[in-house]
Amino acid sequence: MFSLIKAGNGGRASKAIIKTHRKRILNGGKGGNGGSVYVKGSHNLYSLHKLHPNYRAENGRNGRKNKMNGENAKNLVIEVPIGTVVIEEGETIADVIDSKEHLILKGGAGGAANTNQGHSTGLKLQFDFKLKHMSDMAFIGAPNAGKSSLLAHITNAKPKIASYPFTTLFPNLGQFSANIKLADIPGIIPGAYLNRGLGHRFLQHLERTRVLGFVISATDNVAEQYNLLCAELNHYNNKMMKEKEKILIITKMDLVKDLDLDSLPRDLKILKTSVHNKHCDELNIYLTELT
Ligand SMILES: Nc1nc2c(ncn2[C@@H]2O[C@H](COP(=O)(O)OP(=O)(O)OP(=O)(O)O)[C@@H](O)[C@H]2O)c(=O)[nH]1
Ligand SMILES: [Mg+2]
């Protein structure tokens, strides 16, 4: 998401002069500094859709006579979700991993008293905001696989759950324990990397997760679904796929009797769950050991 942002201009200085019959006394104040622009991480935001296409910080006030300096402008602080990366001309300017303020544009300086000099215009630049949630594990799977149900069952999150596809439209985050954060990514369909379905904009969240948790319903052909999801993510970023730990979480175990898992990779860790039977022990143990 792009946003055109302008820092405040520095105020002009005053060149006021007091004339007496003998001399001229310089009596101007300096200009105030223009507002700088900061981004600050917020734990209450989970998407970038509240961001505006334009922002402008206030200008510094001009200096006045009687050596009154112009006031510095207030800085502009833009709140973004934790995990936001701010990019300018391909370069990362801020990597917002906490709720500290990160300077992205410095305001123009105020003019030096009694001169025409020193005041500068605040820069106006285009920034690209990208959200890469940080989580320890992200649930990746087809729509309706049961990702949000799992998140609701094992974390404090309260995502919407329903029996139709694409219930989840934005990623949900949940805290499994003090250290372990889980993300529920909207459903992925074949061609997501080409922007089909909800597209690839959510796949970037996966770059900032430690473990890729593939979530597949026991009622699906598990091996086929797994291969489909892997192919999708390989198209998106095969380096990420090679490097990250992957596990398979099978949901809705209450709905099947037998499960054929023979054609899955031998070294793939498989955890079976059923939210309806309140059976998530294997996943709970795995996550506890991740800490
Ligand atoms: N029987 C059974 N149904 C389940 C289980 N887990 C989830 N469901 C049902 O599956 C449906 C989809 O669940 P969600 O958690 O919304 O699925 P999702 O993967 O988040 O779906 P999207 O947000 O659309 O991608 C709901 O009707 C759930 O009640 C389970 O363990 N057993
Ligand atoms: Mg969901």
Side-chain angles (χ1 to χ4, degrees):
M1 150 115 207
F2 287 99
S3 185
L4 195 58
I5 304 180
K6 183 172 177 326
N9 299 334
R12 287 174 180 277
S14 157
K15 291 193 343 184
I17 286 172
I18 300 175
K19 288 181 190 161
T20 63
H21 58 285
R22 282 218 219 128
K23 52 184 176 184
R24 290 151 55 91
I25 301 167
L26 299 176
N27 189 33
K30 61 182 182 185
N33 295 330
S36 296
V37 184
Y38 290 81
V39 288
K40 180 179 189 294
S42 160
H43 288 284
N44 298 321
L45 293 173
Y46 293 104
S47 80
L48 293 170
H49 69 283
K50 283 201 177 137
L51 222 59
H52 295 271
N54 287 286
Y55 287 96
R56 170 181 273 275
E58 287 173 14
N59 296 334
R61 304 291 289 270
N62 293 338
R64 295 181 298 278
K65 61 183 181 184
N66 297 331
K67 297 194 173 162
M68 299 243 287
N69 296 333
E71 290 81 9
N72 293 334
K74 265 202 309 220
N75 293 327
L76 173 68
V77 180
I78 303 172
E79 290 210 340
V80 293
I82 305 278
T84 301
V85 181
V86 187
I87 298 157
E88 200 259 320
E89 289 217 329
E91 201 187 318
T92 300
I93 304 296
D95 195 354
V96 185
I97 55 164
D98 49 31
S99 48
K100 288 200 197 106
E101 291 182 0
H102 302 250
L103 177 69
I104 61 165
L105 264 185
K106 192 155 174 33
N114 304 303
T115 67
N116 276 333
Q117 280 140 28
H119 72 274
S120 57
T121 308
L123 283 180
K124 185 179 188 180
L125 296 176
Q126 168 141 292
F127 291 91
D128 188 8
F129 288 76
K130 287 205 165 118
L131 184 57
K132 299 184 177 183
H133 270 310
M134 290 165 305
S135 56
D136 297 280
M137 179 157 79
F139 292 152
I140 311 138
N144 249 344
K147 302 176 292 299
S148 304
S149 304
L150 264 188
L151 191 81
H153 194 67
I154 61 172
T155 74
N156 59 346
K158 296 196 171 29
K160 187 170 167 195
I161 293 165
S163 57
Y164 53 83
F166 298 118
T167 311
T168 304
L169 296 174
F170 292 99
N172 295 302
L173 282 181
Q175 207 79 37
F176 170 77
S177 61
N179 306 323
I180 299 290
K181 205 193 242 180
L182 306 181
D184 163 27
I185 307 296
I188 288 171
I189 58 163
Y193 79 99
L194 295 172
N195 226 3
R196 293 209 182 105
L198 292 176
H200 48 57
R201 67 197 140 127
F202 297 122
L203 297 183
Q204 65 188 11
H205 297 255
L206 305 179
E207 290 170 29
R208 285 243 183 141
T209 194
R210 261 162 77 191
V211 182
L212 302 174
F214 290 88
V215 177
I216 299 176
S217 165
T219 57
D220 274 346
N221 181 331
V222 177
E224 197 181 283
Q225 260 301 319
Y226 180 72
N227 290 336
L228 268 175
L229 290 168
C230 286
E232 214 45 54
L233 297 201
N234 268 324
H235 276 302
Y236 174 70
N237 185 342
N238 68 347
K239 186 166 177 282
M240 171 186 88
M241 273 293 275
K242 257 193 222 119
E243 288 172 4
K244 285 199 195 277
E245 182 176 338
K246 295 173 270 295
I247 65 159
L248 171 58
I249 303 164
I250 303 181
T251 56
K252 312 194 190 183
M253 284 303 293
D254 53 294
L255 295 180
V256 295
K257 284 206 175 71
D258 310 306
L259 207 51
D260 175 15
L261 303 175
D262 287 349
S263 43
L264 284 163
R266 288 266 163 264
D267 57 347
L268 181 64
K269 191 165 183 63
I270 301 174
L271 309 174
K272 295 176 186 161
T273 67
S274 162
V275 166
H276 282 207
N277 283 352
K278 299 196 169 39
H279 171 76
C280 291
D281 303 357
E282 293 174 15
L283 180 58
N284 280 327
I285 293 169
Y286 173 83
L287 289 170
T288 309
E289 286 173 355
L290 204 61
T291 317

